[in-house]
Amino acid sequence: QVQFVESGGGVVQPGGSLRLSCAASGNLFKFNNMAWYRQAPGKQHELFASISIGGGTTYYTEFAKGRFTISRDNAKNTMYLQMNSLKLEDTAVYYCNSRAISFNWGQGTQVTVSS
């Protein structure tokens, strides 16, 4: 089993940046394709970025392309998300999990974009 601790969220103005981290416990992190998800109030978890086991292949949904960058460090059991040019609609709780959602959700990290 893997447990996740997301961090790095906060309150930022439109156009600002944040860097999220996802620290994973256990030994299975490096064997899994990973992803970032977000959940707006009243909605389900939404995948918007993923990264392959070795980090060489990434995927972004349209709203994340060009603004967000996913990366990982398997030696540190950690995944990152650099978010730039944040918009009001990026406000949500951000989570990490495997691409197949194989593990329990962590507590997430709140990102609030507000002027």
Side-chain angles (χ1 to χ4, degrees):
Q1 191 55 270
V2 177
Q3 292 181 324
F4 302 109
V5 177
E6 299 92 346
S7 62
V11 180
V12 63
Q13 292 185 339
S17 299
L18 286 172
R19 189 189 193 214
L20 307 185
S21 296
C22 164
S25 65
N27 298 318
L28 298 180
F29 174 82
K30 60 186 177 183
F31 299 116
N32 281 270
N33 297 313
M34 293 296 297
W36 282 99
Y37 302 78
R38 68 184 192 181
Q39 186 177 33
K43 297 189 176 181
Q44 295 185 340
H45 291 88
E46 172 191 17
L47 182 152
F48 63 88
S50 66
I51 188 167
S52 60
I53 290 171
T57 301
T58 57
Y59 163 81
Y60 301 93
T61 57
E62 277 305 311
F63 76 79
K65 283 180 182 178
R67 299 191 300 130
F68 296 176
T69 302
I70 188 172
S71 62
R72 67 189 295 167
D73 185 338
N74 288 339
K76 295 182 178 180
N77 267 16
T78 303
M79 181 172 66
Y80 305 97
L81 182 72
Q82 179 66 44
M83 303 192 297
N84 299 327
S85 302
L86 283 162
K87 303 177 180 180
L88 296 174
E89 53 264 40
D90 293 321
T91 294
V93 181
Y94 286 69
Y95 298 86
C96 59
N97 209 316
S98 69
R99 182 65 175 83
I101 313 180
S102 303
F103 309 109
N104 293 332
W105 296 103
Q107 85 287 350
T109 186
Q110 175 71 50
V111 172
T112 302
V113 185
S114 174
S115 56

